[in-house]
Amino acid sequence: MATAPRPVSIIVVDRPARPRALARRSLAAALALLLACNGDDAATATLTDADTDTIATTSDATSTADATATTDLTETTDATDTASELDLLELLRAIDGMEAEELASPAPGIRLFALTFLQPSDHDDPRAPWFAQRLTLRHRDRAAPMVLSTSGYGLPDRKSYAEPTLLLETNQLAVEQRFFGPSRPEPADWTHLTIAQAAADHHRIIEALRPLYGAPWLSTGASKGGMTSIYHRRFYPGDVAATLAYVAPHSLAAQDPRYTPFIDAIPAPPGCAEALKALQIEALKRRDALTALLEDHAATERLTFDRIGLARALEFGVLELRFTFWQYGGPADCPSIPAPSDSDLDLFDYLDSVVPWAFFADDVIDYYEPYFYQAAHQLGAPAIDEAHLGDLRDFPGEDAPAAYLQPGLSVIYEPAAMQDISDWLSGGQGSGATRIILVYGAWDPWTAAPFPFPDATESYVYTVEGGNHGAQLRALPEAEQDAALAHLRAWLGLPERAQGAPLPRDHSPPERRPFLP
């Protein structure tokens, strides 16, 4: 829906120099062009939405990205009026510390941009090293709300999108978390990998882009992405209008004991829970045979297990079976559990299908190491039920986040971080802990540790009956879907959805991360 034009301020802020020279129009040149087009001699220029949705081709804008940007859908400019308006790509590049490249459109009416934004590794010390944080902008309409999305890990596929982006027809900004992928300072000081520093990353990103996207913002994420969204709200409650967090756990100990009783209480079909335990016992009894199969598997798949070793990889995979079975499976999967009398290969392949052996390989552990550090330092993690395995274990109690860290990277668990989040949530509207929607799966083990909410905070919790770690709004009963979407639309200033209007069904499926949030 179109709105009245908004003034947009472009402000030059002193920041460290960009890490490499840019072969495109500088910020100063972009501002000079902007001022010339508007006849404004002030340091801050004002643009309307109409002014900023198009760009002309000037003599120094000869790159393919620029040429492509000037021919996209309704944002195309008339060749005879090429010097009158700035395109979104130019406005993005004019933000200090931002680099932008336009990608191929993933769908009609959508523009896609690969961005990097300079961030300080320590927001309390601008002299510390800076790094380029990766982002993806999915642009629909500058008058539409913005969804700030994160997986809590690296950057998802550039063309992927979150559920509210689809259901509410919004723009989307996907953020890669600090220390994941190339979004890492060099040298890396791991003490700067905290929930407060990550929240400050989000805050600076919003500050940089809000002049271009002035409609309300919604933060969202699933699992660790949902956790990250709530942590951001704790430190900057006014940055977004609302938060939609999916299947987000709130562990309160280095090894939180609440998860095992939850798994034990899942109303599984008769014999299912017993079959999973029996499989774990049988697998450890056949440790030598399964280890030989894992060695062959590693050679075939070119996997290395130097970080934790083959013996621990095998045992940890067996230990995590029950949790991960319910994280991504359900009652329909119970008949597929092998019997203790099945072959070594049957047991090995089944374990691989639930808790892939590759997740214990060096390259995967390297990728997820920032999570393991965060879990060992502030986030906490589930305690694993091992009692029924007795003396079959060679590494009792070792399958914890700190076990996956590189040698020499020490960490001490700080319970105060999550207690602070609990305290903030208990403050309700007075603390800014309001307009939060949580979605959980009834049989997802991570639901054992939900975020707490007091009454009267204008926040809501929805549970998908029989749902697992892939629970979404569209899996709720229709009445609850309608209620949740009505809240989101009201908070974002969107009109009510027409009665009976079908919800879009297409979506980007959640990633599988066994025993990780």
Side-chain angles (χ1 to χ4, degrees):
M1 174 176 291
T3 60
R6 289 188 311 277
V8 177
S9 298
I10 306 297
I11 303 173
V12 182
V13 181
D14 290 335
R15 298 286 182 218
R18 301 188 185 188
R20 56 185 180 275
L22 304 181
R24 54 179 175 267
R25 183 182 298 118
S26 67
L27 173 63
L31 287 171
L33 175 60
L34 186 154
L35 296 175
C37 294
N38 286 274
D40 194 337
D41 59 358
T44 301
T46 301
L47 302 176
T48 66
D49 286 347
D51 290 331
T52 57
D53 280 342
T54 52
I55 184 171
T57 303
T58 60
S59 58
D60 64 338
T62 58
S63 71
T64 301
D66 286 342
T68 301
T70 62
T71 60
D72 189 26
L73 302 173
T74 59
E75 295 173 343
T76 303
T77 55
D78 191 308
T80 62
D81 192 21
T82 58
S84 62
E85 297 170 327
L86 281 177
D87 176 71
L88 178 59
L89 180 61
E90 288 300 307
L91 291 172
L92 292 168
R93 289 174 170 174
I95 296 172
D96 195 49
M98 186 78 76
E99 295 188 13
E101 175 189 357
E102 185 155 14
L103 307 176
S105 172
I110 302 296
R111 296 178 70 182
L112 198 65
F113 299 88
L115 311 177
T116 61
F117 185 58
L118 280 181
Q119 296 278 21
S121 59
D122 182 0
H123 288 272
D124 297 322
D125 182 6
R127 297 168 300 176
W130 288 56
F131 68 98
Q133 187 168 27
R134 293 196 304 170
L135 320 167
T136 301
L137 173 63
R138 182 184 176 92
H139 170 84
R140 179 186 294 272
D141 183 341
R142 285 196 37 235
M146 175 67 78
V147 165
L148 180 68
S149 174
T150 181
S151 69
Y153 298 96
L155 194 67
D157 181 272
R158 296 281 191 183
K159 296 183 180 180
S160 66
Y161 47 87
E163 186 183 44
T165 304
L166 177 69
L167 299 183
L168 302 174
E169 298 183 322
T170 66
N171 305 296
Q172 175 180 289
L173 186 68
V175 180
E176 180 167 72
Q177 292 304 298
R178 58 171 45 213
F179 280 69
F180 283 93
S183 298
R184 179 179 297 192
E186 292 295 345
D189 182 341
W190 288 81
T191 64
H192 295 153
L193 181 53
T194 65
I195 61 173
Q197 293 283 0
D201 291 341
H202 282 211
H203 177 64
R204 288 192 71 247
I205 290 167
I206 293 171
E207 281 192 323
L209 285 168
R210 197 187 299 278
L212 301 184
Y213 293 95
W217 287 51
L218 170 74
S219 59
T220 193
S223 200
K224 186 171 180 286
M227 297 156 62
T228 303
S229 297
I230 290 179
Y231 304 154
H232 167 227
R233 287 291 299 280
R234 180 264 176 266
F235 293 101
Y236 302 95
D239 270 1
V240 297
T243 296
L244 171 60
Y246 299 85
V247 296
H250 184 51
S251 298
L252 296 176
Q255 292 182 285
D256 195 315
R258 291 177 290 171
Y259 295 93
T260 293
F262 181 93
I263 294 173
D264 289 340
I266 291 175
C272 189
E274 293 76 11
L276 287 169
K277 288 186 176 182
L279 174 56
Q280 290 178 301
I281 291 170
E282 188 64 25
L284 291 185
K285 286 181 177 179
R286 301 193 208 177
R287 181 188 296 271
D288 291 345
L290 296 188
T291 300
L293 288 172
L294 183 54
E295 289 176 343
D296 292 343
H297 181 72
T300 301
E301 300 297 326
R302 297 183 179 180
L303 302 174
T304 60
F305 293 87
D306 297 332
R307 179 72 69 91
I308 64 171
L310 279 174
R312 282 183 174 81
L314 180 77
E315 184 164 311
F316 292 176
V318 172
L319 291 177
E320 295 174 12
L321 174 66
R322 292 181 68 217
F323 190 106
T324 308
F325 178 89
W326 294 110
Q327 181 177 357
Y328 292 110
D333 301 301
C334 290
S336 66
I337 301 171
S341 59
D342 286 354
S343 70
D344 296 340
L345 185 58
D346 286 340
L347 270 59
F348 180 87
D349 287 344
Y350 180 79
L351 288 166
D352 186 44
S353 72
V354 179
V355 189
W357 301 117
F359 266 78
F360 301 98
D362 295 333
D363 58 342
V364 176
I365 291 177
D366 287 345
Y367 174 81
Y368 284 110
E369 187 171 34
Y371 162 72
F372 294 124
Y373 179 89
Q374 288 182 288
H377 183 211
Q378 292 185 316
L379 307 186
I384 299 178
D385 179 21
E386 304 181 14
H388 61 290
L389 299 174
D391 293 339
L392 294 172
R393 298 166 295 166
D394 286 347
F395 311 101
E398 288 192 22
D399 190 5
Y404 297 89
L405 299 179
Q406 59 188 274
L409 182 56
S410 61
V411 63
I412 298 175
Y413 177 66
E414 297 179 356
M418 292 303 102
Q419 186 56 55
D420 174 72
I421 298 297
S422 296
D423 293 343
W424 173 72
L425 290 169
S426 68
Q429 292 189 6
S431 66
T434 183
R435 295 188 172 184
I436 298 173
I437 289 180
L438 298 177
V439 181
Y440 288 105
W443 291 11
D444 176 16
W446 293 105
T447 302
F451 279 95
F453 281 105
D455 295 333
T457 61
E458 203 178 354
S459 296
Y460 307 90
V461 179
Y462 296 96
T463 302
V464 177
E465 293 304 321
N468 60 20
H469 206 55
Q472 294 187 319
L473 289 177
R474 284 165 295 175
L476 292 168
E478 186 175 353
E480 292 186 342
Q481 286 184 35
D482 291 344
L485 287 173
H487 294 312
L488 292 172
R489 286 183 170 277
W491 297 336
L492 297 180
L494 294 171
E496 294 182 8
R497 188 168 68 96
Q499 283 286 357
L503 290 176
R505 305 311 302 179
D506 186 28
H507 70 287
S508 300
E511 293 184 42
R512 288 178 61 96
R513 300 185 185 91
F515 203 58
L516 272 65

